[in-house]
Amino acid sequence: AVVVAQEDLQNIPRCAEVGVGYDDATLKTPNGGVLPTAGDCQKSCKASTSCMFFTYYPDSQACWLQGKSAVARSIHNAISAPKECTTNRLDEGLLEAAEVAAAAAKSSGADLAEQVTAGISATKTGVADAELSPEQAAEVATEAASDIAAKSAAANHSSQSQADAVVIASR
């Protein structure tokens, strides 16, 4: 098992896999250098045009930047992730949080617009905490707004359209 100090947990990218690393037969030395955290290793990967994934070893602080020929495998003392954490891994959790917020608003007597607004607010909070690029944040927020509006309208048997609910929520 990888031993990570509690204070270092915040420096591990959200999409990172602990106990998984990438092998790239073309690399012989840690081309990302020696860095203090997995988060720093990911930043180094982002700065490299050829990097697709990184593997970080907390014990040696070695950062390996791997390209498209890298193969993931179980490596007990490694932390790895793609160059950027994509929205796909976050969508489900953010949508669930938004649905819970919308349902809570409904149970307290909120109308459709207030339910959707509660869901969007929960999504915005999650997006802000997720370290996404502005483009990724907009993509997640738009998808969540559409899903929440549709589900809230359906749950309310509302005649108000999904598009109307999204417009209301984006105000």
Side-chain angles (χ1 to χ4, degrees):
V2 177
V3 178
V4 180
Q6 186 68 30
E7 62 271 11
D8 291 335
L9 288 175
Q10 67 188 15
N11 294 314
I12 297 175
R14 294 183 188 281
C15 60
E17 294 184 84
V18 177
V20 174
Y22 287 86
D23 274 335
D24 187 337
T26 64
L27 300 176
K28 304 298 180 210
T29 60
N31 57 345
V34 175
L35 299 173
T37 69
D40 291 325
C41 189
Q42 186 182 42
K43 288 176 187 171
S44 182
C45 184
K46 285 179 185 178
S48 170
T49 57
S50 61
C51 183
M52 302 293 291
F53 308 96
F54 73 88
T55 301
Y56 180 75
Y57 295 90
D59 53 348
S60 65
Q61 297 184 324
C63 175
W64 295 77
L65 307 180
Q66 289 110 353
K68 60 184 174 183
S69 63
V71 177
R73 69 179 182 90
S74 177
I75 302 175
H76 79 281
N77 61 335
I79 299 170
S80 65
K83 177 183 237 174
E84 291 194 53
C85 295
T86 63
T87 57
N88 294 341
R89 293 182 182 212
L90 299 172
D91 285 346
E92 191 173 312
L94 291 175
L95 184 55
E96 184 177 333
E99 288 173 352
V100 167
K106 180 180 180 181
S107 69
S108 67
D111 66 16
L112 177 61
E114 293 167 327
Q115 292 171 44
V116 173
T117 300
I120 298 304
S121 178
T123 301
K124 286 180 180 177
T125 299
V127 166
D129 292 342
E131 303 172 8
L132 300 176
S133 70
E135 295 80 17
Q136 290 171 320
E139 180 184 327
V140 170
T142 301
E143 184 177 328
S146 178
D147 288 350
I148 293 302
K151 288 180 180 183
S152 293
N156 284 293
H157 306 290
S158 173
S159 60
Q160 190 173 25
S161 74
Q162 174 182 341
D164 291 343
V166 172
V167 168
I168 291 167
S170 65
R171 291 182 186 158

